[in-house]
Amino acid sequence: QVQLQESGPGLVKPSETLSLTCAVSNYSIRSGSFWGWIRQPPGKGLEWIGTIYHTGNTYYNPSLKSRLTISVATSKKQFSLRLTSVTAADTAVYYCASATVAVPAAMSWFDSWGQGTLVTVSS
Amino acid sequence: QSVVTQPPSASGTPGQRVTISCSGSSSNIGSNTVNWYQQLPGTSPKVVIYTDDQRPSGVPDRFSGSKSGTSASLAISGLQSEDEADYYCAVWDDSLNGPVFGGGTKLTVL
């Protein structure tokens, strides 16, 4: 079973950059999997942020695309999220997740999730 | 507001069967497979149904999924207090080129 653990600052100032890392264990980050970020504002539903494939290809939510970068550091067994110019609307619990079953992206599902990390945007 | 719609709440008594609906369009449910996630209070989501109607190992067979046209449903039979949670449908959207989550349904066991 893949294990995922998010890490990063819990407080970010408005207009600054939010950076989070997801450490992957018990699984090869090089394998044919999808690695994603999902967020959940307090008391609200889930929102897909973006996904990076084992090939390095990335797919971003169009609503965040201009501010978003997702990357993989294979040697470090981790993948990362970088969101620039944050506002209070970016306050949320951020989850990293993996889709490890070898099916096309449109048929995939997130079968492992991290515990989530709360990021608050405030001055 | 999500392009995939769920009722905000559902409820049932222990032992009952409840159904949660998920309504979409031809660019998502109508052309791709649906997954369902359960989020217990204070925890991360967990998949309970994938590929429309498949149950992961460890998920009780009380949980079942179905899909017809541009709608999907999650059914829970023999409702138990431990089923009280938020449930989200999720499906790939061809226009978004990524997965979209429904707004979530809060299930209360009375």
Side-chain angles (χ1 to χ4, degrees):
Chain A
Q1 178 77 6
V2 182
Q3 291 187 332
L4 304 168
Q5 179 66 59
E6 305 89 349
S7 62
L11 180 64
V12 181
K13 290 182 168 56
S15 80
E16 295 191 343
T17 297
L18 182 162
S19 295
L20 296 175
T21 296
C22 182
V24 179
S25 56
N26 294 340
Y27 198 82
S28 171
I29 203 167
R30 291 187 181 89
S31 66
S33 303
F34 310 139
W35 309 95
W37 289 96
I38 300 99
R39 69 181 182 180
Q40 185 171 34
K44 296 187 178 181
L46 302 169
E47 178 185 32
W48 172 69
I49 298 172
T51 300
I52 187 164
Y53 298 162
H54 67 283
T55 58
N57 292 339
T58 52
Y59 291 84
Y60 297 156
N61 189 319
S63 68
L64 300 170
K65 187 175 182 178
S66 64
R67 301 190 289 131
L68 182 63
T69 303
I70 295 176
S71 59
V72 167
T74 306
S75 60
K76 295 182 179 180
K77 299 181 181 180
Q78 63 187 31
F79 60 104
S80 302
L81 172 148
R82 187 171 177 269
L83 186 66
T84 62
S85 305
V86 297
T87 70
D90 296 309
T91 294
V93 174
Y94 284 75
Y95 296 100
C96 61
S98 64
T100 59
V101 180
V103 296
M107 295 181 65
S108 64
W109 63 95
F110 292 112
D111 51 9
S112 294
W113 295 66
Q115 66 182 27
T117 186
L118 174 63
V119 178
T120 302
V121 178
S122 175
S123 55
Chain B
Q1 188 170 347
S2 178
V3 297
V4 176
T5 304
Q6 298 179 234
S9 63
S11 64
T13 57
Q16 270 191 328
R17 182 178 189 271
V18 297
T19 301
I20 298 171
S21 62
C22 178
S23 179
S25 67
S26 58
S27 68
N28 43 67
I29 295 178
S31 54
N32 297 302
T33 56
V34 178
N35 309 307
W36 289 90
Y37 297 90
Q38 174 195 62
Q39 187 176 31
L40 297 168
T43 70
S44 306
K46 161 193 161 186
V47 63
V48 291
I49 294 291
Y50 65 92
T51 314
D52 296 338
D53 58 8
Q54 301 298 300
R55 211 174 36 251
S57 60
V59 173
D61 59 7
R62 302 185 293 104
F63 289 80
S64 62
S66 63
K67 189 178 80 173
S68 178
T70 58
S71 294
S73 294
L74 172 71
I76 308 171
S77 59
L79 198 62
Q80 298 182 6
S81 57
E82 66 224 44
D83 300 329
E84 189 161 285
D86 293 324
Y87 291 86
Y88 295 89
C89 61
V91 59
W92 187 271
D93 187 276
D94 294 333
S95 300
L96 181 68
N97 205 23
V100 60
F101 289 91
T105 299
K106 183 176 183 60
L107 175 64
T108 301
V109 180
L110 301 170

